[in-house]
Structures are given as structure tokens and as C-alpha cells.
């Protein structure tokens, strides 16, 4: 496989592997697990192969293998041992590591290979909740620490988006609305671009037999007012990741209630990072700590 050239400093390795930089230095000095290159100013830097080796070593170490034992193995033996202990019980951490490598190498084939292995033992919902969500959370932290670039986040997010679209399409081929008493509108407010969690909620609701109207990202309140005119009762579902801001969110909820929910049986169900800042006491506005809780309540 042709690898994208990418250099990492020791802090990047710490962020990507979860192993402290001090521990990595000890492993490097005592067991010679790496042979890093150095800049002209004598600063160590590491390759994508070094990162991949560290992730495998971390996986084995977390599984109970002592670093002294792992250090006796060559790279091929380390990879073979990882394959031998790979199982459903341990596949989540292994799969997340594989997806990190796929992301850093812009390797869509490895992403799909990992998915194919996961889908043998897990449902798509389990893969999303146990693998994709933790990965996306970790990616957000890595982006903040400059260990990865925005292009890496865009690349892996789009691949997850593709899997969501594939699985939604599969359900819709056999679409049977069994919960037809209400229609659910899924939307993101203006300036909110993070659509993946909302798409997963849509997938789950369709799977449960609900009729949904999916509007996507950055939907103005005026458009939601317009759609409410065509239905007596709608439940609105949203996922606030970055918008509305802390300063804007309660005003937004007040407007939403007064212009759309008031004097109806409709509700607004919200999850996401910003939802915790909602202080509304409106009975028609429900906030949830997790998207699983939201889905279970609909």
C-alpha cells in the first residue's frame, strides 16, 4: 500500500495512542521498539509505520502482554499476535485503531475492510455506537491538539456518512411505516453543520417504523414554521453540537416554542453537546444526555 507521508512528534503519538510520552520514551530507550529519525535540530519525529506499530503494541499491552515480551517480537510477529487475539470481545479497540490508520493514510479500502469484519458480528447500530461515535469523539480531541488536520476529519466523516446512507437506503427498500400516528422532522439549526449523529437518529427511527422528514443541516426557523403548517402534530428532533451557541440557545428554544410548539401537541427533542445549556421549563421541549436516550424516548 502506498502510504501518505506524515510525520509525528512524540506528543502526537501520545494523543493518538493514549500512551504517555514519558512511557514511550522509556520503551524506546529500554526496548528499542522505535528508531525515530531526527530533524537538523535533533528533535525526534516518527512515521506512520511507527504509529501503527505503537497502536499494535498498545493493543497487546492492554490485553495483558508485558512490554518486555512484546519487544522480543519483530513487526510481523507483533501483527500475527494481534490477529490471533482479535475477537468480538476485543474488536472495538482494535477496529478504532485500524480506522485511525485508515484516516491518517486516507485509506478508504482499510476503512471498508474494517467495516466488513465488524458487520460479521455486530449490527450497524452497534458499530455506529461502539466504534464510530468513540472514534469521532477522539478525532475531535486530536484535531484540537493539532495531532491531525481538518482534512483527516473530513475524510473519515465522509466514509461514515456513506455507510449511513447505504444502511438508510437498505431500510427504505423495505420501508414499512408501523408507527404512523405522528411524523418526525429531523433538522439541524442554522450554522450547525455536524450531520452524522442526526443521520443515525433518522436511521434508527426509520428502522422503528416511523415516518420521518429529514431536512439536514442549517435549517432556518422560518422553514420549520412553514412545514408545521402542513401537519397538525409533528415531533421535531435535532442534535446541537456547536450551534446555537451558549449565549443564543435559550432564546432559540423560546422562539421555537412560541412560534411552532405553542398550543399544539408537538414536541422538540434535542441532544448533543449544546443541549445541556438549555434551561427551558417548557413541557414540549425535551433534552437528552445521549442520542440513545433520545431514540428510546421517541
Amino acid at each position: 500500500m502506498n502510504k501518505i507521508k506524515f510525520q509525528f512528534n512524540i506528543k502526537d503519538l501520545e494523543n493518538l495512542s493514549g500512551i504517555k510520552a514519558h512511557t514511550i520514551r522509556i520503551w524506546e530507550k529500554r526496548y528499542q521498539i522505535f528508531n525515530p529519525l531526527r530533524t537538523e535540530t535533533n528533535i525526534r519525529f516518527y512515521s506512520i509505520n511507527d504509529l501503527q506499530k505503537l497502536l499494535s503494541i498498545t493493543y497487546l499491552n492492554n490485553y495483558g502482554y508485558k512490554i518486555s515480551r512484546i519487544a522480543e517480537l519483530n513487526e510481523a510477529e507483533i501483527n500475527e499476535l494481534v490477529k490471533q487475539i482479535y475477537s468480538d470481545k476485543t474488536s472495538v479497540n482494535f477496529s478504532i485503531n485500524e480506522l485511525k490508520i485508515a484516516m491518517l493514510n486516507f485509506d478508504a479500502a482499510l476503512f471498508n475492510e474494517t467495516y466488513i469484519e465488524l458487520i460479521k458480528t455486530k449490527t450497524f447500530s452497534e458499530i455506529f455506537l461502539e466504534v464510530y461515535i468513540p472514534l469521532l469523539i477522539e478525532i475531535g480531541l486530536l484535531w484540537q491538539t493539532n495531532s491531525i488536520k481538518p482534512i483527516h476529519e473530513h475524510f473519515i466523516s465522509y466514509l461514515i456518512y456513506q455507510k449511513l446512507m447505504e444502511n438508510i437506503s437498505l431500510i427504505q427498500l423495505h420501508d414499512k411505516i408501523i408507527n404512523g400516528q405522528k411524523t418526525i422532522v429531523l433538522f439541524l439549526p442554522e450554522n450547525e453543520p455536524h450531520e452524522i449523529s442526526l443521520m443515525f437518529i433518522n436511521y434508527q427511527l426509520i428502522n422503528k417504523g416511523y415516518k420521518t422528514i429529514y431536512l439536514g443541516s442549517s435549517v432556518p426557523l422560518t422553514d420549520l414554521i412553514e412545514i408545521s403548517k402542513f401537519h397538525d402534530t409533528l415531533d421535531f428532533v435535532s442534535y446541537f453540537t456547536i450551534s446555537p451557541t451558549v449565549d443564543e440557545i435559550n432564546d432559540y428554544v423560546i422562539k421555537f416554542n412560541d412560534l411552532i410548539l405553542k398550543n399544539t401537541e408537538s414536541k422538540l427533542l434535542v441532544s448533543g453537546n449544546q443541549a445541556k445549556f438549555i434551561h427551558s421549563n417548557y413541557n414540549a421541549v425535551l433534552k437528552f444526555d445521549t442520542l440513545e436516550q433520545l431514540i428510546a424516548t421517541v
Side-chain angles (χ1 to χ4, degrees), residues 51-198:
L51 171 62
Q52 191 159 11
K53 184 178 181 181
L54 178 61
L55 291 174
S56 295
I57 290 171
T58 303
Y59 180 74
L60 295 175
N61 189 238
N62 290 338
Y63 194 73
Y65 285 83
K66 292 183 178 180
I67 185 64
S68 56
R69 169 73 180 99
I70 302 170
E72 295 173 353
L73 306 174
N74 60 38
E75 188 170 338
E77 290 170 331
I78 289 173
N79 292 338
E80 183 60 31
L81 186 56
V82 168
K83 290 178 182 178
Q84 288 176 11
I85 67 172
Y86 180 85
S87 66
D88 182 53
K89 181 178 178 181
T90 60
S91 64
V92 168
N93 289 335
F94 179 82
S95 298
I96 290 174
N97 284 345
E98 289 291 279
L99 293 177
K100 287 181 191 175
I101 296 298
M103 173 185 69
L104 293 167
N105 277 323
F106 302 102
D107 189 346
L110 179 57
F111 176 92
N112 287 314
E113 288 166 13
T114 305
Y115 177 81
I116 289 168
E117 287 302 313
L118 284 167
I119 205 66
K120 290 177 181 177
T121 57
K122 296 181 181 294
T123 66
F124 176 71
S125 294
E126 289 171 335
I127 293 171
F128 190 89
L129 293 171
E130 297 174 17
V131 179
Y132 290 164
I133 286 291
L135 174 69
L136 290 168
I137 291 171
E138 190 169 346
I139 286 171
L141 297 173
L142 292 171
W143 183 81
Q144 291 175 24
T145 59
N146 293 319
S147 296
I148 63 171
K149 305 298 182 185
I151 53 173
H152 295 111
E153 181 181 10
H154 293 321
F155 173 77
I156 204 75
S157 295
Y158 182 69
L159 291 175
I160 295 173
Y161 172 90
Q162 285 182 314
K163 290 301 175 194
L164 277 162
M165 292 302 295
E166 287 173 13
N167 282 275
I168 289 171
S169 295
L170 285 173
I171 297 174
Q172 289 176 330
L173 285 174
H174 310 286
D175 189 16
K176 292 182 179 179
I177 298 173
I178 57 176
N179 295 305
Q181 293 184 345
K182 62 181 175 182
T183 300
I184 301 172
V185 176
L186 296 98
F187 75 97
L188 296 179
E190 290 184 279
N191 303 314
E192 176 57 78
H194 296 88
E195 201 172 345
I196 285 178
S197 292
L198 189 73

Side-chain angles (χ1 to χ4, degrees), residues 239 270-273 275-276 287-294:
Y239 199 88
V270 182
S271 188
N273 183 66
K276 63 179 177 286
K287 62 178 182 177
F288 301 89
D289 294 331
T290 66
L291 57 82
E292 298 100 306
Q293 292 172 352
L294 187 156

